[in-house]
Amino acid sequence: MQIELSAGTVEYTDTGGPGPVVVFVHGLLMDGTLWDGPVAALDEHRCVVPTLPLGAHRVPMHDAADLSLPGIAALLAEFLERLDLRDVTLAGVDTGGALVQLLMVAGEPRVSRVVLASCDAFDNFPPGLTGKTLFLTGKLSPSLFGLFMQQMRLRAVRRLPIAFGWLTKRGDAVSAGWIRPLLSQAGIRRDTVRVLRAAAASPGILVDVAERLPSFDRPALVVWAREDRVMPPEHGARLAALLPKGKLVEVADSYTLVPLDQPAEFARLVREFTAG
């Protein structure tokens, strides 16, 4: 499915299930396929999964689109409004969790509860070797950025710590598909460089957000990978402690991208959380 928003066309999937509405938010250089495993297991829920302009989208945004993190968070809020989604559980991982935090402190009325899974937080922005490497490549022109990213065609490169190697244990087949749009479309390369440059220009954005998180008085589930090497495990505990209705759950045998490494467990946690 597609919807035309102020920044451009956003693709999404909507299972249309009869149960609670869950909107899943992916991270940088990822698309909605990140959530395929949990969504398949949550057939009793209405699972809505947008592919946001974070580098793996397939339709370039308008030239004047605001591709900063606050701009993309505003686009996500517009998406919720245009689909008239209410009483939403908003779940984000990696940079998607940063976007969720931005909507939390903005007091987004359509969000009734959140799931923050191993995500950018506090001063861990850009996160780990992967984030720092990406932010550096954002200084390149879009054409040179595309040439640099050509190496990601190789599995050996994708599995390096500076790529997806420390983000997922088992998700290489999925992550291989995320880079195809930017390798084949100049407009996607342009968008991605704009996202990276805007993010690099606001290194303290999540420190400021953290100061306002205690104002979020709705239920919050913090899911952290016990073996995370990109998002510090202590950040999960700090986030849960900041939130008045926060709860921390740690997941074993997973790197950052819990929806890829432990999809059944992630779905179980979401199911229990939304039932509560």
Side-chain angles (χ1 to χ4, degrees):
M1 300 179 183
Q2 293 183 342
I3 186 169
E4 187 65 29
L5 301 177
S6 58
T9 301
V10 169
E11 297 184 309
Y12 70 99
T13 59
D14 184 347
T15 63
V21 178
V22 186
V23 175
F24 294 95
V25 189
H26 60 79
L28 193 61
L29 285 190
M30 303 171 197
D31 65 18
T33 59
L34 167 70
W35 303 102
D36 283 357
V39 167
L42 291 167
D43 54 357
E44 73 280 12
H45 288 61
R46 180 182 177 186
C47 297
V48 183
V49 189
T51 289
L52 298 170
L54 287 167
H57 55 299
R58 296 184 297 180
V59 183
M61 295 291 104
H62 300 325
D63 290 344
D66 181 356
L67 297 183
S68 66
L69 278 189
I72 297 172
L75 186 68
L76 177 58
E78 182 185 352
F79 176 80
L80 300 180
E81 181 181 5
R82 287 287 304 280
L83 290 185
D84 195 22
L85 300 175
R86 302 171 185 269
D87 195 23
V88 169
T89 297
L90 193 61
V93 69
D94 191 79
T95 316
L99 296 173
V100 172
Q101 291 172 60
L102 284 165
L103 289 193
M104 290 166 70
V105 299
E108 171 54 48
R110 294 176 181 271
V111 175
S112 62
R113 57 185 67 213
V114 299
V115 180
L116 294 173
S118 287
C119 59
D120 307 20
F122 306 109
D123 59 351
N124 188 36
F125 184 77
L129 285 174
T130 305
K132 290 176 175 60
T133 302
L134 268 179
F135 277 37
L136 285 173
T137 61
K139 296 180 179 180
L140 300 171
S141 68
S143 58
L144 288 176
F145 175 76
L147 287 174
F148 178 85
M149 293 301 291
Q150 288 289 337
Q151 354 177 32
M152 293 282 282
R153 293 179 183 271
L154 302 175
R155 185 182 187 279
V157 175
R158 291 194 303 274
R159 298 308 301 155
L160 290 174
I162 62 170
F164 295 116
W166 281 0
L167 289 176
T168 175
K169 287 186 170 188
R170 306 175 182 88
D172 181 67
V174 177
S175 64
W178 295 339
I179 61 169
R180 289 172 189 153
L182 67 83
L183 294 181
S184 61
Q185 295 188 60
I188 303 300
R189 292 192 289 274
R190 177 208 64 187
D191 286 354
T192 308
V193 166
R194 288 173 60 199
V195 169
L196 293 171
R197 290 179 180 177
S202 302
I205 186 171
L206 296 181
V207 175
D208 296 336
V209 165
E211 294 178 355
R212 293 183 283 154
L213 282 177
S215 66
F216 186 80
D217 60 356
R218 304 162 217 175
L221 177 65
V222 180
V223 179
W224 223 262
R226 195 170 291 156
E227 298 178 43
D228 208 316
R229 304 168 82 176
V230 177
M231 313 297 177
E234 60 269 22
H235 280 188
R238 283 179 65 188
L239 281 173
L242 276 178
L243 298 164
K245 297 182 180 178
K247 176 186 176 182
L248 173 66
V249 176
E250 294 184 340
V251 176
D253 194 21
S254 177
Y255 287 165
T256 302
L257 299 182
V258 181
L260 279 185
D261 287 347
Q262 293 291 348
E265 176 63 6
F266 192 85
R268 183 188 70 80
L269 292 170
V270 170
R271 183 180 296 109
E272 291 183 356
F273 182 55
T274 55

